[in-house]
Amino acid sequence: MAPPRRPGAGAALLLQQQLVAAAVLLLTTTVAASPRVPAVIVFGDSTVDTGNNNVIPTPLRADFPPYGRDMPGGPRATGRFGNGRLPPDLISEALGLPPLVPAYLDPAYGIDDFARGVCFASAGTGIDNATASVLEVEYYAEYQRRLRARLGRSRAAAVIRDALHVVSIGTNDFLENYFLLATGRFAQFTVDEFEDFLVAGAREFLARIHRLGARRVTFAGLAAIGCLPLERTTNALRGGGCVEEYNEVARRYNAKLQDMVRGLRAEFPKLKLAYISVYESFLNLITDPAKFGLENVEEGCCATGKFEMGFMCNDDAPLTCDDADKFLFWDAFHPTEKVNRLMANHTLEVCYQEGVL
Ligand SMILES: *[C@@H]1O[C@H](CO)[C@@H](O)[C@H](O)[C@H]1NC(C)=O
Ligand SMILES: *[C@@H]1O[C@H](CO)[C@@H](O)[C@H](O)[C@H]1NC(C)=O
């Protein structure tokens, strides 16, 4: 026999049903306002290359130890320039997507993986195609054709539209191109003109991916590039410390980038585009390391930390540190996973503040 129903149980049930209905309504409204992110799509240089350079002929690689020393599940040199994961991986995981964003050229992955995240970045590239040949947008277009073949036109378009596109590029244009004098850009442009040239290139790149359907995009500014260990080492001859000339260029270029980003947002109202202020984040770490549990913000963890990166940072090089979490830099050029985690957090915070997500 069923237990006697208490008076009022019907009303309570009704109330409960109404609450559930209200909650469902609330949930659907929220989802409608801000669709789930189906994928993280990555463009740029070694700061975000998750392994494309492993399969192209280049000396710029990180597919040997101690790179990847602190990857989840144990040491694994994946080609990421760091001791662990990169910002796009951490962003992907935070959005409920896979914890690693696969490299587009990695034969171990296919279109079903790439439908949930894909990385076109390649270490060494820049905005200026004289920095290194840039095929990233061509690969992006090819990816979209494969995605349409797999998912159909409308589902593929939705993936592209709702995906978070993460762009991090520009350091090599200055440090491995302009100031290295190798490409002739130094002779061709004043630094002010070169900044304008790059900003125009960045604008063209963003307009191209917008044309291909990207709607949610983050574009990272330059870090305090004069404070990279490699630049500090070069500067040692001139008394040491950060190369203020390079930091000044970064600040001026970043200001121009921000103007360009504002202009693009005005021109394309449906493009949710956020500028990520990496410079200020890095400077916070350098000026107050203890606040972030850092003990060394001047040298890399790998080897002497003064100049080693890529093939110079290897298991035969002595002196590699034990705890990378105490360092801002993993090698002479690239941050540790700990810092990448802070950058991923900052990027997501900006995305939420500015309505990109
Ligand atoms: C860069 O690319 C543009 C357009 O694809 C091309 O016209 C130009 O020659 C290239 N410049 C260099 C230096 O490779
Ligand atoms: C960023 O980090 C702060 C402090 O740890 C945390 O409260 C916040 O939820 C993080 N934000 C995101 C988007 O992960």
Side-chain angles (χ1 to χ4, degrees):
M1 200 174 89
R5 296 182 70 194
R6 277 185 297 111
L13 190 66
L14 190 65
L15 182 64
Q16 197 188 355
Q17 281 167 349
Q18 282 167 345
L19 281 177
V20 169
V24 167
L25 188 69
L26 197 67
L27 204 66
T28 27
T29 330
T30 322
V31 168
S34 188
R36 207 180 66 77
V37 179
V40 170
I41 299 178
V42 185
F43 299 95
D45 56 24
S46 58
T47 54
V48 291
D49 178 356
T50 61
N52 284 308
N53 275 27
N54 297 351
V55 289
I56 60 176
T58 169
L60 302 171
R61 347 173 55 92
D63 52 350
F64 42 82
Y67 283 101
R69 189 183 78 176
D70 302 312
M71 286 294 278
R76 190 153 54 107
T78 60
R80 288 171 174 78
F81 280 77
N83 58 309
R85 288 186 285 167
L86 302 180
D89 300 314
L90 300 158
I91 289 169
S92 175
E93 183 176 63
L95 293 173
L97 292 164
L100 298 174
V101 178
Y104 187 61
L105 300 180
D106 187 335
Y109 298 95
I111 192 64
D112 291 322
D113 306 296
F114 299 141
R116 306 184 67 207
V118 60
C119 175
F120 302 105
S122 168
T125 54
I127 296 165
D128 180 1
N129 54 8
T131 306
S133 73
V134 188
L135 296 170
E136 295 183 26
V137 180
E138 282 73 14
Y139 282 130
Y140 181 53
E142 180 194 79
Y143 161 68
Q144 294 195 1
R145 288 191 292 275
R146 291 173 65 189
L147 204 59
R148 283 194 290 273
R150 186 83 182 111
L151 301 180
R153 186 162 284 276
S154 91
R155 276 180 68 204
V159 168
I160 298 300
R161 183 193 65 217
D162 296 334
L164 181 64
H165 296 69
V166 174
V167 188
S168 174
I169 196 162
T171 305
N172 295 317
D173 290 299
F174 289 100
L175 298 183
E176 304 299 322
N177 173 354
Y178 190 81
F179 289 117
L180 209 61
L181 318 182
T183 61
R185 292 300 195 205
F186 187 86
Q188 185 183 356
F189 294 121
T190 66
V191 68
D192 190 54
E193 288 165 352
F194 189 62
E195 290 159 16
D196 294 339
F197 171 74
L198 292 184
V199 170
R203 190 186 186 291
E204 175 55 27
F205 166 81
L206 290 168
R208 281 180 79 192
I209 64 169
H210 173 263
R211 222 158 29 237
L212 287 166
R215 291 295 177 269
R216 293 164 144 181
V217 183
T218 69
F219 195 95
L222 278 194
I225 56 174
C227 297
L228 300 180
L230 192 63
E231 307 313 321
R232 286 182 188 264
T233 301
T234 328
N235 206 29
L237 303 170
R238 291 190 281 162
C242 301
V243 183
E244 198 40 47
E245 179 196 354
Y246 292 175
N247 282 350
E248 235 169 69
V249 167
R251 286 195 298 271
R252 205 170 47 221
Y253 168 73
N254 284 342
K256 292 178 184 178
L257 271 182
Q258 287 173 81
D259 281 345
M260 178 273 287
V261 162
R262 273 190 289 272
L264 270 186
R265 279 200 300 240
E267 188 175 341
F268 305 121
K270 288 200 178 131
L271 175 63
K272 308 278 183 256
L273 171 62
Y275 168 82
I276 308 297
S277 54
V278 177
Y279 187 101
E280 288 72 14
S281 306
F282 262 76
L283 225 56
N284 288 341
L285 300 178
I286 290 168
T287 49
D288 195 359
K291 187 172 153 195
F292 303 92
L294 298 173
E295 291 174 9
N296 188 332
V297 295
E298 299 184 2
E299 294 160 333
C301 163
C302 189
T304 69
K306 294 195 181 296
F307 61 89
E308 297 91 344
M309 59 173 282
F311 65 90
M312 303 285 281
C313 164
N314 60 60
D315 263 352
D316 295 329
L319 304 174
T320 294
C321 81
D322 289 327
D323 184 1
D325 283 356
K326 298 198 170 107
F327 284 68
L328 197 174
F329 294 100
W330 161 251
D331 64 15
F333 221 72
H334 303 98
T336 53
E337 183 188 83
K338 162 138 177 193
V339 171
N340 287 336
R341 207 171 272 286
L342 296 171
M343 293 303 153
N345 177 292
H346 176 63
T347 302
L348 285 167
E349 293 286 334
V350 172
C351 283
Y352 290 123
Q353 274 162 28
E354 304 202 352
V356 174
L357 292 178

Coordinates of all heavy atoms in Angstrom, one line a residue, residues 165-205:
H165 N 39.6 31.0 -31.0 CA 40.9 31.0 -31.8 C 41.9 31.8 -31.0 O 41.6 32.9 -30.5 CB 40.6 31.7 -33.1 CG 39.7 31.0 -34.0 ND1 38.3 30.9 -33.8 CD2 39.9 30.4 -35.2 CE1 37.8 30.2 -34.8 NE2 38.7 29.9 -35.6
V166 N 43.0 31.1 -30.7 CA 44.1 31.7 -29.9 C 45.3 32.0 -30.7 O 45.8 31.1 -31.4 CB 44.5 30.7 -28.7 CG1 45.6 31.2 -27.9 CG2 43.2 30.4 -27.8
V167 N 45.7 33.3 -30.7 CA 46.8 33.7 -31.6 C 47.9 34.3 -30.7 O 47.7 35.2 -29.9 CB 46.4 34.7 -32.6 CG1 47.5 35.0 -33.6 CG2 45.1 34.3 -33.3
S168 N 49.1 33.7 -30.9 CA 50.3 34.3 -30.2 C 51.5 34.3 -31.2 O 52.1 33.2 -31.5 CB 50.6 33.4 -29.0 OG 51.8 33.8 -28.4
I169 N 51.9 35.5 -31.6 CA 52.9 35.6 -32.6 C 53.5 37.0 -32.5 O 52.9 37.9 -32.0 CB 52.3 35.4 -34.0 CG1 53.3 35.1 -35.1 CG2 51.3 36.5 -34.4 CD1 52.8 34.4 -36.3
G170 N 54.8 37.1 -33.0 CA 55.3 38.5 -33.1 C 56.7 38.6 -32.5 O 57.5 39.4 -33.0
T171 N 57.1 37.8 -31.5 CA 58.4 37.9 -30.9 C 59.5 37.7 -31.9 O 60.5 38.4 -31.9 CB 58.5 36.9 -29.7 OG1 57.4 37.1 -28.8 CG2 59.8 37.1 -29.0
N172 N 59.3 36.6 -32.7 CA 60.4 36.3 -33.7 C 60.6 37.4 -34.7 O 61.7 37.6 -35.3 CB 60.0 35.0 -34.4 CG 60.0 33.8 -33.5 OD1 60.9 33.7 -32.6 ND2 59.0 33.0 -33.6
D173 N 59.5 38.2 -35.0 CA 59.6 39.2 -36.0 C 60.7 40.3 -35.5 O 61.4 40.8 -36.4 CB 58.3 39.9 -36.2 CG 57.3 39.0 -36.9 OD1 57.6 38.6 -38.1 OD2 56.3 38.7 -36.4
F174 N 60.7 40.5 -34.2 CA 61.7 41.4 -33.7 C 63.0 40.8 -33.4 O 64.1 41.2 -33.9 CB 61.1 42.1 -32.5 CG 60.0 43.1 -32.8 CD1 58.7 42.7 -32.6 CD2 60.3 44.3 -33.3 CE1 57.7 43.6 -32.9 CE2 59.3 45.2 -33.7 CZ 58.0 44.8 -33.5
L175 N 63.0 39.7 -32.6 CA 64.3 39.1 -32.1 C 65.0 38.2 -33.1 O 66.2 38.1 -33.1 CB 64.0 38.4 -30.8 CG 63.5 39.3 -29.7 CD1 63.3 38.4 -28.4 CD2 64.4 40.5 -29.4
E176 N 64.2 37.6 -34.0 CA 64.9 36.6 -34.9 C 64.8 37.2 -36.4 O 65.2 36.5 -37.3 CB 64.2 35.3 -34.9 CG 64.1 34.6 -33.5 CD 65.5 34.3 -32.9 OE1 66.4 33.9 -33.7 OE2 65.7 34.5 -31.7
N177 N 64.4 38.4 -36.5 CA 64.3 38.9 -37.8 C 64.9 40.4 -37.8 O 66.1 40.6 -38.1 CB 62.8 38.9 -38.3 CG 62.5 39.6 -39.6 OD1 63.4 40.3 -40.2 ND2 61.3 39.5 -40.1
Y178 N 64.1 41.3 -37.4 CA 64.5 42.7 -37.4 C 65.8 43.0 -36.7 O 66.8 43.5 -37.4 CB 63.4 43.6 -36.8 CG 63.7 45.1 -37.1 CD1 63.3 45.7 -38.3 CD2 64.2 45.9 -36.1 CE1 63.6 47.0 -38.6 CE2 64.5 47.2 -36.4 CZ 64.2 47.8 -37.6 OH 64.4 49.1 -37.9
F179 N 65.9 42.7 -35.4 CA 67.1 43.0 -34.7 C 68.3 42.1 -34.9 O 69.4 42.3 -34.5 CB 66.8 43.1 -33.2 CG 66.0 44.3 -32.8 CD1 64.7 44.2 -32.3 CD2 66.5 45.6 -33.1 CE1 63.9 45.3 -32.0 CE2 65.7 46.7 -32.7 CZ 64.4 46.6 -32.2
L180 N 68.0 40.9 -35.6 CA 69.1 40.0 -35.9 C 69.7 40.4 -37.2 O 70.8 39.9 -37.6 CB 68.5 38.6 -36.0 CG 69.4 37.4 -35.7 CD1 69.9 37.5 -34.2 CD2 68.7 36.1 -35.9
L181 N 69.1 41.3 -38.0 CA 69.6 41.9 -39.2 C 69.7 40.9 -40.4 O 70.0 41.3 -41.5 CB 71.0 42.5 -39.0 CG 71.3 43.3 -37.7 CD1 72.7 43.8 -37.7 CD2 70.3 44.4 -37.5
A182 N 69.3 39.7 -40.1 CA 69.5 38.6 -41.1 C 68.7 38.8 -42.4 O 69.1 38.4 -43.5 CB 69.3 37.2 -40.5
T183 N 67.5 39.4 -42.3 CA 66.6 39.3 -43.4 C 66.6 40.6 -44.2 O 65.9 40.7 -45.2 CB 65.1 39.2 -42.9 OG1 64.8 40.3 -42.0 CG2 65.0 37.9 -42.1
G184 N 67.3 41.6 -43.7 CA 67.3 42.9 -44.5 C 66.2 43.8 -44.0 O 66.2 45.0 -44.5
R185 N 65.3 43.4 -43.2 CA 64.2 44.3 -42.8 C 64.7 45.5 -42.0 O 64.2 46.6 -42.1 CB 63.2 43.6 -41.9 CG 62.4 42.5 -42.6 CD 61.6 43.1 -43.7 NE 60.6 42.1 -44.2 CZ 60.0 42.1 -45.4 NH1 60.4 42.9 -46.3 NH2 59.1 41.3 -45.7
F186 N 65.8 45.3 -41.3 CA 66.5 46.4 -40.5 C 66.9 47.5 -41.4 O 66.8 48.7 -41.1 CB 67.6 45.8 -39.7 CG 68.3 46.8 -38.7 CD1 67.7 46.9 -37.4 CD2 69.3 47.6 -39.1 CE1 68.3 47.8 -36.5 CE2 69.9 48.5 -38.2 CZ 69.4 48.6 -36.9
A187 N 67.5 47.1 -42.6 CA 68.0 48.1 -43.5 C 66.8 48.8 -44.2 O 66.8 49.9 -44.6 CB 68.9 47.4 -44.5
Q188 N 65.7 48.0 -44.4 CA 64.6 48.5 -45.2 C 63.6 49.4 -44.4 O 63.1 50.3 -45.0 CB 63.8 47.2 -45.6 CG 62.6 47.5 -46.6 CD 61.9 46.2 -46.9 OE1 62.3 45.1 -46.5 NE2 60.8 46.3 -47.6
F189 N 63.5 49.1 -43.1 CA 62.5 49.9 -42.3 C 63.1 50.5 -41.0 O 64.0 49.8 -40.4 CB 61.4 48.9 -41.7 CG 60.5 48.3 -42.8 CD1 60.4 46.9 -42.9 CD2 59.7 49.1 -43.6 CE1 59.6 46.3 -43.8 CE2 58.8 48.5 -44.5 CZ 58.8 47.1 -44.6
T190 N 62.7 51.6 -40.6 CA 63.0 52.1 -39.2 C 62.2 51.2 -38.3 O 61.2 50.5 -38.8 CB 62.5 53.5 -39.0 OG1 61.1 53.6 -39.0 CG2 63.2 54.5 -40.0
V191 N 62.5 51.1 -37.0 CA 61.7 50.2 -36.2 C 60.3 50.6 -36.1 O 59.4 49.8 -36.0 CB 62.4 50.1 -34.8 CG1 62.3 51.3 -34.0 CG2 61.8 48.9 -34.0
D192 N 60.0 51.9 -36.1 CA 58.7 52.5 -36.1 C 57.9 52.0 -37.3 O 56.8 51.5 -37.3 CB 58.7 54.0 -36.1 CG 57.4 54.6 -35.8 OD1 56.8 54.2 -34.8 OD2 57.0 55.5 -36.6
E193 N 58.5 52.0 -38.5 CA 57.9 51.6 -39.7 C 57.7 50.1 -39.7 O 56.7 49.6 -40.2 CB 58.8 51.9 -41.0 CG 58.8 53.4 -41.3 CD 59.9 53.7 -42.3 OE1 60.8 52.9 -42.6 OE2 60.0 54.9 -42.7
F194 N 58.7 49.3 -39.1 CA 58.5 47.9 -39.1 C 57.3 47.5 -38.2 O 56.6 46.6 -38.5 CB 59.8 47.2 -38.5 CG 59.8 45.7 -38.6 CD1 59.7 45.1 -39.9 CD2 59.9 45.0 -37.5 CE1 59.7 43.7 -40.0 CE2 59.9 43.6 -37.6 CZ 59.8 42.9 -38.8
E195 N 57.2 48.2 -37.1 CA 56.0 48.0 -36.2 C 54.7 48.2 -37.0 O 53.8 47.4 -36.9 CB 56.0 49.0 -35.0 CG 57.1 48.8 -34.0 CD 57.4 50.0 -33.2 OE1 56.6 51.0 -33.2 OE2 58.5 50.1 -32.5
D196 N 54.6 49.3 -37.7 CA 53.4 49.5 -38.5 C 53.2 48.4 -39.6 O 52.1 48.0 -39.8 CB 53.5 50.9 -39.3 CG 53.5 52.0 -38.3 OD1 53.1 51.9 -37.1 OD2 54.0 53.1 -38.7
F197 N 54.3 48.0 -40.2 CA 54.2 46.9 -41.1 C 53.7 45.6 -40.5 O 52.8 44.9 -41.1 CB 55.7 46.7 -41.7 CG 55.8 45.5 -42.6 CD1 55.3 45.4 -43.9 CD2 56.5 44.3 -42.1 CE1 55.5 44.3 -44.7 CE2 56.7 43.2 -42.9 CZ 56.2 43.2 -44.2
L198 N 54.1 45.3 -39.3 CA 53.7 44.1 -38.6 C 52.2 44.2 -38.2 O 51.4 43.3 -38.3 CB 54.5 43.8 -37.4 CG 56.0 43.4 -37.6 CD1 56.6 43.0 -36.3 CD2 56.0 42.2 -38.5
V199 N 51.8 45.4 -37.7 CA 50.5 45.6 -37.2 C 49.5 45.5 -38.4 O 48.5 44.8 -38.3 CB 50.3 47.0 -36.6 CG1 48.8 47.3 -36.3 CG2 51.0 47.0 -35.2
A200 N 49.9 46.0 -39.6 CA 49.1 45.8 -40.8 C 49.1 44.3 -41.2 O 48.0 43.8 -41.6 CB 49.7 46.6 -42.0
G201 N 50.2 43.6 -41.0 CA 50.2 42.1 -41.3 C 49.2 41.4 -40.3 O 48.5 40.5 -40.7
A202 N 49.3 41.8 -39.0 CA 48.4 41.1 -38.0 C 47.0 41.4 -38.4 O 46.1 40.5 -38.3 CB 48.8 41.7 -36.6
R203 N 46.7 42.6 -38.8 CA 45.3 43.0 -39.2 C 44.8 42.2 -40.3 O 43.7 41.6 -40.3 CB 45.3 44.5 -39.5 CG 43.9 45.0 -39.7 CD 43.9 46.5 -40.2 NE 42.5 47.0 -40.2 CZ 41.6 46.5 -41.0 NH1 41.9 45.6 -41.9 NH2 40.4 47.0 -40.9
E204 N 45.7 42.0 -41.3 CA 45.3 41.2 -42.5 C 45.1 39.8 -42.1 O 44.1 39.1 -42.6 CB 46.5 41.3 -43.5 CG 46.3 40.5 -44.8 CD 45.0 40.7 -45.5 OE1 44.4 41.8 -45.4 OE2 44.5 39.8 -46.2
F205 N 45.9 39.2 -41.2 CA 45.7 37.9 -40.8 C 44.4 37.7 -40.1 O 43.6 36.8 -40.3 CB 46.9 37.5 -39.8 CG 46.6 36.2 -39.0 CD1 46.8 35.0 -39.6 CD2 46.0 36.3 -37.7 CE1 46.5 33.8 -38.9 CE2 45.7 35.2 -37.0 CZ 46.0 33.9 -37.6

